[in-house]
Amino acid sequence: MAFARGALLVFGMVVVMLVAAAAEGGGTVCFDRVFSFGDSLTDTGNFLLSVPEDFPDPARNLPYGQTFFGRPSGRYSDGRNLLDFFGNLPTFSVSLLFAYVLLCILPSLSSSAEAFGLPFVPPYLGGGDFRYGANFAVGGATALNGSFFRERGVEPTWTPHCLDEQLQWFKKLLPSMHRQRQRSELMSKSLFLMGEVGGNDYNHLIVRGKSLDELHEIVPNVVGAISSAIKDLINVGAKKLVVPGNFPIGCVPLYLAIFPSQKEGYYDEQTGCINWLNEFTEYHNKMIQEELEELRKLHPDVTIIYADYYGASLNIFRAPLKFGFTVPLNSCCGSDAPHNCSLSVMCGNPGSVVCPDPSKYISWDGLHFTEATYKVVIQGVLGGYATPPLSETCKGGEYRVSQLHQCTDNPTNSVTYDALSSFI
């Protein structure tokens, strides 16, 4: 058995070498690297790297990371998150057998994507090799900066590394990645994933008891901040951007637990989700899509894709069994409160419990999805929940849903965090 595993590993390494050679020989590649901005849905370690080592964040310990990595990885999930699944493999003239080895056999031999040539996008604050991109997303981050909330009587107790600061990190990194004559090529062959971001601008207010009217008031500001970041990236040469909408927050177990109601029509009959929260998300997403359409008119040479995370995930809630989920509205990790979720006992805290099989749950900790859910969401985006379709980004190449990855300078921080600093 050991010999067989070793032989397969060697064979797999040969496949990787052949694929690399094919790439150098002119194989079609959608993009060479990914740059990601956002919050805990795509954070791969930046929040933990931005706070003191003794900061008691639940994602610092198991059960976070247990499913795929077998250890905490700085991700707010039981395993991989959206960014890990969001990407494509190069399309070369490689046999189906080689592809099978790459995608199906080798992952069973190693828990590290780096082991067979498919590196995860590293967190910016961790330093290291950024040849294949960098992740600037930080758990708890907002699209708007802290002063916006202070002016409205809300003292930020979450990360100060908002979208604008993440953009400054990218601009600081960019000169080290190219010689001047290569900048346009580097930018044109990079994919920029803009979030999801903006959800926390609302989440931080919702958990503080702000009204629906107050949430609606800031939507233009949130959309404006996202639009401004997109324009900045285009101005420095970005040609391919994916801008996700927000998820259906009315299906989030934490909100289902803290906003119960007996009112008729309060919950959606098909999904059991809270209607007013999902309707608010739909409003935000509508505003985002309208703004993206304006940006497309201004920049016809730039591909700006709207990723419909809302539609892709609501599709799961409407028919969870179809995707293998038997527990759609409870968190896998949490307390014994309704929906397995409460603010007093969050996942990873003393008294919390973990379900035996996270793959049967849509929610991991009451606020974030399980790895299994993230995978289905991204499959949905690759399969049609995107405008324009992602396949149009890869003109001249082939983009298959089956190619989804299967394995696949620190500023002074003086903010005072609360228990949900990075969670949302």
Side-chain angles (χ1 to χ4, degrees):
M1 178 64 70
F3 173 79
R5 290 168 62 88
L8 283 172
L9 186 58
V10 170
F11 177 60
M13 293 303 103
V14 171
V15 172
V16 172
M17 293 170 65
L18 290 172
V19 171
E24 293 178 1
T28 303
V29 184
C30 250
F31 45 83
D32 295 339
R33 63 196 62 81
V34 177
F35 295 106
S36 172
F37 306 83
D39 53 31
S40 56
L41 298 179
T42 49
D43 188 359
T44 54
N46 282 317
F47 180 80
L48 294 182
L49 291 165
S50 73
V51 296
E53 290 186 7
D54 60 352
F55 181 80
D57 189 80
R60 196 181 294 280
N61 305 299
L62 289 169
Y64 284 85
Q66 68 173 30
T67 296
F68 182 79
F69 300 97
R71 56 174 175 77
S73 67
R75 292 163 173 80
Y76 292 86
S77 177
D78 60 310
R80 293 162 289 183
N81 65 21
L82 288 166
L83 177 59
D84 299 317
F85 285 117
F86 199 101
N88 71 294
L89 298 177
T91 302
F92 306 117
S93 297
V94 183
S95 72
L96 290 177
L97 175 62
F98 285 169
Y100 176 77
V101 172
L102 265 176
L103 298 177
C104 303
I105 297 179
L106 284 177
S108 69
L109 302 180
S110 171
S111 63
S112 172
E114 290 85 352
F116 43 96
L118 298 172
F120 291 117
V121 182
Y124 170 72
L125 294 182
D129 184 357
F130 297 118
R131 284 179 296 171
Y132 301 105
N135 185 17
F136 304 96
V138 184
T142 52
L144 298 164
N145 60 35
S147 62
F148 176 89
F149 295 96
R150 290 190 187 94
E151 291 169 0
R152 287 154 181 78
V154 177
E155 182 59 33
T157 57
W158 54 87
T159 180
H161 306 309
C162 64
L163 179 57
D164 182 65
E165 183 167 346
Q166 294 176 29
L167 195 62
Q168 300 315 309
W169 289 347
F170 168 72
K171 291 179 179 179
K172 182 179 178 180
L173 175 65
L174 186 57
S176 68
M177 298 189 66
H178 68 86
R179 294 187 293 272
Q180 191 60 40
R181 69 174 185 272
Q182 296 175 327
R183 176 165 167 170
S184 61
E185 181 180 0
L186 181 146
M187 294 295 289
S188 65
K189 290 187 176 181
S190 299
L191 179 72
F192 293 85
L193 181 59
M194 185 57 65
E196 177 273 341
V197 67
N200 283 337
D201 298 69
Y202 311 126
N203 289 330
H204 290 308
L205 299 184
I206 291 172
V207 297
R208 287 163 175 79
K210 299 299 180 179
S211 68
L212 183 59
D213 287 341
E214 290 174 295
L215 295 177
H216 273 272
E217 287 174 4
I218 73 166
V219 172
N221 303 93
V222 172
V223 172
I226 296 170
S227 178
S228 178
I230 294 170
K231 292 173 185 175
D232 275 359
L233 289 172
I234 292 174
N235 287 339
V236 294
K239 295 296 183 182
K240 303 181 184 75
L241 301 99
V242 174
V243 185
N246 285 349
F247 287 93
I249 59 175
C251 305
V252 169
L254 179 63
Y255 290 160
L256 287 166
I258 64 179
F259 295 120
S261 176
Q262 299 296 322
K263 294 179 182 178
E264 185 177 352
Y266 187 82
Y267 300 101
D268 180 78
E269 291 184 1
Q270 184 177 10
T271 63
C273 302
I274 298 174
N275 280 322
W276 71 268
L277 283 169
N278 279 356
E279 288 166 0
F280 172 74
T281 305
E282 290 171 3
Y283 173 68
H284 164 90
N285 290 345
K286 178 175 179 290
M287 296 287 285
I288 280 285
Q289 292 178 77
E290 290 176 357
E291 182 64 18
L292 295 185
E293 188 56 37
E294 292 302 313
L295 290 173
R296 292 185 188 108
K297 293 176 183 177
L298 292 172
H299 305 280
D301 61 328
V302 177
T303 301
I304 304 175
I305 297 171
Y306 174 72
D308 186 9
Y309 284 0
Y310 182 93
S313 52
L314 198 61
N315 191 40
I316 303 172
F317 286 105
R318 285 172 174 157
L321 292 176
K322 174 183 176 182
F323 301 96
F325 299 109
T326 57
V327 191
L329 298 178
N330 287 6
S331 65
C332 167
C333 180
S335 69
D336 59 359
H339 300 284
N340 296 354
C341 198
S342 71
L343 287 171
S344 58
V345 182
M346 300 295 289
C347 178
N349 289 339
S352 64
V353 294
V354 186
C355 70
D357 187 357
S359 70
K360 301 299 182 184
Y361 285 69
I362 294 177
S363 176
W364 165 241
D365 58 12
L367 282 165
H368 307 97
F369 288 147
T370 57
E371 172 181 292
T373 308
Y374 283 133
K375 181 177 179 180
V376 175
V377 169
I378 295 302
Q379 285 176 327
V381 171
L382 299 182
Y385 283 96
T387 308
L390 275 159
S391 58
E392 293 186 11
T393 306
C394 302
K395 292 175 181 176
E398 184 178 359
Y399 198 102
R400 299 191 186 101
V401 175
S402 62
Q403 291 176 330
L404 182 69
H405 287 302
Q406 298 294 316
C407 47
T408 139
D409 137 83
N410 191 354
T412 302
N413 192 344
S414 58
V415 72
T416 300
Y417 295 97
D418 64 12
L420 293 175
S421 297
S422 58
F423 257 48
I424 56 178

